[in-house]
Structure formats: structure tokens, C-alpha cells
Amino acid sequence: QVQLVESGGGLVQPGGSLKLSCAASGSLFSIDAMGWYRQAPGKERELVATITNGGTTDYADSVKGHFTISRDNAKNTVYLQMDSLKPEDTAVYYCNAHRRWPRQDYWGQGTQVTVSS
């Protein structure tokens, strides 16, 4: 089992920044990649960014250039630095831990990010 706890969400004005954190615990040796997803009201959950154990990152086209995913292996923590935030970035952001085989995904409880003036 893997437990994920997100923090760092909140209300921010357009153009502002937020940094989300995801603290992981449990059977982390089995995890191949960590990531962030988001779900806006009335929409499906979508991928935001992922980072593998080797540090390879991938981003949704909509956030490339203004979101950065990183990890601190010593702290078992993954971060999402969000800059130049837009109202359309408003969503609940979920941390994800992914195991390729046997396939398993773990999710945090989510943290609300609201971008509004």
C-alpha cells in the first residue's frame, strides 16, 4: 500500500504562483512514477505532469512552460510548481503514484486550487 498526502493548494490571483507538495509513504519501492492530475468541475480528470524514478518528466501541453514537476527522494515528496496561473487552471489537484506491473494506481485526497481575481 502507498499513502499520498497533498498540500499547498489555495486561492491565487491570475498570474500568481503556487507550489503543491505530495508526501508519499508505504511500499514506495514498487512505484515506477509519480504524477499530478487535476479535475475541474464538470470535466474528467486529466494528466498534468509525471516524473519517473529516473527523473524523466512529461507535461500536458496546456501546462508546458509554466508548471514544473520535481521530486525529493530523501523526503519521499513530489512537488508541482505552478507559475503564471490562469483561471482555467482552477481544479482539484490529485497526486498519483503509478506501478507498471502489476498495474496499480494510488491517489491522494486532492487539494483545491482556485485562480481568480
Side-chain angles (χ1 to χ4, degrees):
Q1 283 290 335
V2 173
Q3 295 78 41
L4 304 171
V5 179
E6 301 105 331
S7 60
L11 173 64
V12 63
Q13 292 187 342
S17 297
L18 278 177
K19 187 173 185 177
L20 305 182
S21 299
C22 173
S25 60
S27 302
L28 301 180
F29 63 90
S30 67
I31 298 302
D32 298 295
M34 301 285 294
W36 289 94
Y37 289 69
R38 67 186 181 186
Q39 187 167 17
K43 295 186 177 181
E44 293 186 353
R45 191 173 298 189
E46 63 175 1
L47 172 71
V48 175
T50 60
I51 185 166
T52 67
N53 288 345
T56 300
T57 59
D58 191 28
Y59 296 91
D61 288 342
S62 58
V63 306
K64 283 181 181 176
H66 71 111
F67 284 15
T68 303
I69 189 170
S70 61
R71 63 193 298 163
D72 184 333
N73 291 329
K75 296 182 179 180
N76 292 328
T77 301
V78 176
Y79 304 97
L80 185 68
Q81 176 67 44
M82 305 185 292
D83 299 315
S84 303
L85 282 161
K86 308 170 187 177
E88 51 263 43
D89 294 317
T90 295
V92 178
Y93 283 71
Y94 296 91
C95 182
N96 167 270
H98 176 72
R99 184 180 66 206
R100 279 195 287 266
W101 190 89
R103 184 183 176 92
Q104 180 72 53
D105 284 285
Y106 300 93
W107 297 94
Q109 81 285 358
T111 185
Q112 177 71 47
V113 172
T114 303
V115 185
S116 175
S117 55

